[in-house]
Amino acid sequence: MANLDDIDRRLLAELQSEGRVTNVELAQRVGLTAPPCLRRVRALEEEGVIRGYHAELDASQLGFAITVFAMVSLKSQAESALREFEDHMHALPEVREVHMLNGEIDFILKVVSKDLQSFQEFLTSKLTPAPNVESVKTSLTIRTAKHEPGVPLE
């Protein structure tokens, strides 16, 4: 775990909420001048605390009308089988998140699709026949009540 002071935490909170803020504006928000602010941000990047900067896109504006969570059980939980499944998921652009779970279900996937028909095609042609898949249960998202990327920094 990174050893962060109050200024680092404020920098991270600001960047997490607005990744495109300029260094000058960021420095002003946390009470620094621009050069030490930039040094701190670069140090946080080099330490891997900041892993990247991303634009948050509106899926529906881009034609992805549905989000589905798929609970996947595998035939084997051997490390090689787990890695083969994970590698296969990395190759599927519709799969946006892959989380290995403890318990009855091995993985939960977040999948986006243009519509139910295209999701059905994805399910039957790409997900169900994936390596080592024993069963897949899906749940269609009705609405998202909260979407808060990142972590709490307060």
Side-chain angles (χ1 to χ4, degrees), residues 79-92:
E79 188 61 32
S80 61
L82 296 170
R83 291 214 185 273
E84 184 179 13
F85 176 78
E86 291 170 342
D87 290 345
H88 188 77
M89 293 302 104
H90 280 283
L92 301 175

Side-chain angles (χ1 to χ4, degrees), residues 41-124:
V41 170
R42 285 191 177 147
L44 290 165
E45 291 169 346
E46 289 169 8
E47 292 170 15
V49 175
I50 298 173
R51 295 190 316 187
Y53 300 88
H54 310 278
E56 185 173 344
L57 307 179
D58 185 327
S60 63
Q61 291 282 335
L62 297 168
F64 294 94
I66 64 171
T67 300
V68 178
F69 288 92
M71 287 69 69
V72 179
S73 295
L74 301 182
K75 297 172 188 169
S76 168
Q77 287 71 36
E79 188 61 32
S80 61
L82 296 170
R83 291 214 185 273
E84 184 179 13
F85 176 78
E86 291 170 342
D87 290 345
H88 188 77
M89 293 302 104
H90 280 283
L92 301 175
E94 301 93 337
V95 177
R96 305 312 299 166
E97 296 179 25
V98 178
H99 303 275
M100 186 174 167
L101 304 177
N102 177 13
E104 186 178 326
I105 303 297
D106 295 308
F107 287 91
I108 188 166
L109 315 176
K110 180 180 176 183
V111 180
V112 296
S113 193
K114 294 187 181 289
D115 53 38
L116 284 173
Q117 181 179 351
S118 60
F119 175 72
Q120 180 68 28
E121 291 171 17
F122 167 81
L123 180 65
T124 57

Side-chain angles (χ1 to χ4, degrees), residues 5-6 11 26 121:
D5 65 14
D6 185 54
L11 285 168
L26 180 61
E121 291 171 17

Side-chain angles (χ1 to χ4, degrees), residues 122-135:
F122 167 81
L123 180 65
T124 57
S125 67
K126 296 180 181 176
L127 184 54
T128 304
N132 199 33
V133 170
E134 182 174 284
S135 68

